[in-house]
Amino acid sequence: MTVNYSSILGDMVVTAREAGVLTLEHFKRFRDIEIGIKGPGDFVSDADKESEVLIRDRLLNKYPWGLTGEEFAPVEGVENGHHWLVDPIDGTTNFIYGQHYTITISLRRGNETMCGLVYNPVSDELFTAIKGEGAYLNGTRLHVSASTDLALMCVGTGLPTPNLSLHPGAYQRLDAIRAPIGGVRIVGSGANSCAYVACGRLTGYYEETGFIDTAAGILLVQEAGGIVTDWWGRGPDVYEKTGTLIVANPATHAYLIEHLRTAPPKNVE
């Protein structure tokens, strides 16, 4: 069966924009949002849940495949090798404090991401990619930064709260990479950080983060000419499981590998 990923991406875009309208209504009154706590430093709002329900309804009504989201149990769906990954609000902490967030949707076929999007409703920036067909921002083709100058590197990351059960040494790694480069930025959304690498606003990004958050962003970076590995240069069979991710232009990737590799490798279980 031939699958028209361009048509599917069009439906994903319509769905993401609908979810954007819904979440923006909550966002406009962020000081009044009802918030639950999933864990330390990990919040969930009514907007998260409503956004995922909308996305699930729209996508599964037309494409009844498996779906894994952030807020609800996975859906098995029809077995045809395709599976949706959905983060209805990536950057929930940003969202509840009135800062930029994203909606991210990707479609997997087996172990490959075939198409994906990252949508920032606040700025109305829509990043899209189809495997083998390039990455785009609101219809304009993207390329990672061509800069090789150490002093001009701008690297994104995230810093966990101390009681999160993540790979240890986040602040030590930050100290190891920050001194000679131009700057470090915390965007607050893994999906948006990847999108910023794809369009050259960051020259690289590293973090331990969830694959649902970054699957579409990884495709964006790859289609924009960037490099994606884990912190020790290993491929998707590792970073999709561990979340220890680097996405970057070639020069920044080489720099980050050199300075992050002293951390003990995280094993794949």
Side-chain angles (χ1 to χ4, degrees):
M1 180 182 69
T2 301
V3 179
N4 186 337
Y5 290 108
S6 180
S7 176
I8 293 172
L9 182 61
D11 291 329
M12 293 163 64
V13 166
V14 171
T15 299
R17 290 194 179 279
E18 285 189 55
V21 171
L22 182 156
T23 54
L24 278 174
E25 288 303 310
H26 289 273
F27 182 80
K28 291 172 184 175
R29 50 185 182 82
F30 72 91
R31 294 188 184 278
D32 303 319
I33 292 174
E34 290 295 324
I35 302 164
I37 299 178
K38 293 189 286 187
D42 191 5
F43 303 102
V44 59
S45 68
D46 288 343
D48 277 288
K49 296 174 182 177
E50 291 177 20
S51 178
E52 184 164 323
V53 167
L54 183 153
I55 293 168
R56 282 176 177 240
D57 287 349
R58 299 294 187 274
L59 294 180
L60 296 180
N61 183 56
K62 190 166 186 179
Y63 306 101
W65 302 328
L67 184 150
T68 302
E70 288 279 347
E71 307 306 331
F72 300 101
V75 175
E76 289 296 328
V78 175
E79 182 57 47
N80 78 333
H82 286 87
H83 195 91
W84 297 104
L85 298 179
V86 174
D87 193 342
I89 294 179
D90 186 47
T92 309
T93 304
N94 277 17
F95 181 87
I96 65 175
Y97 285 103
Q99 301 177 38
H100 286 216
Y101 64 97
T102 57
I103 295 163
T104 181
I105 306 171
S106 55
L107 179 62
R108 301 272 285 176
R109 184 181 66 191
N111 294 323
E112 292 185 290
T113 304
M114 303 309 299
C115 56
L117 64 80
V118 175
Y119 180 48
N120 180 338
V122 181
S123 62
D124 195 26
E125 291 187 324
L126 178 67
F127 296 85
T128 57
I130 297 174
K131 186 177 177 64
E133 298 185 18
Y136 296 84
L137 167 55
N138 292 344
T140 300
R141 184 74 179 259
L142 299 180
H143 301 279
V144 297
S145 168
S147 176
T148 61
D149 189 336
L150 188 64
L152 295 179
M153 290 179 183
C154 186
V155 175
T157 190
L159 293 175
T161 54
N163 48 356
L164 284 178
S165 300
L166 298 176
H167 200 291
Y171 289 88
Q172 291 87 338
R173 286 191 296 278
L174 176 63
D175 196 51
I177 67 104
R178 68 179 176 82
I181 65 175
V184 176
R185 295 291 180 268
I186 297 177
V187 176
S189 158
N192 217 17
S193 297
C194 291
Y196 280 9
V197 173
C199 71
R201 294 175 188 166
L202 295 172
T203 62
Y205 162 69
Y206 77 94
E207 192 173 1
E208 182 178 0
T209 187
F211 185 61
I212 293 174
D213 306 358
T214 55
I218 287 169
L219 180 63
L220 286 168
V221 172
Q222 291 170 329
E223 290 295 318
I227 300 175
V228 182
T229 68
D230 83 338
W231 299 345
W232 301 273
R234 299 177 295 186
D237 55 323
V238 177
Y239 66 68
E240 290 184 7
K241 296 182 177 72
T242 66
T244 48
L245 184 68
I246 296 174
V247 299
N249 73 1
T252 306
H253 182 268
Y255 174 80
L256 289 174
I257 285 283
E258 179 182 357
H259 288 79
L260 295 176
R261 65 186 178 189
T262 56
K266 189 171 185 180
N267 295 324
V268 179
E269 296 181 359

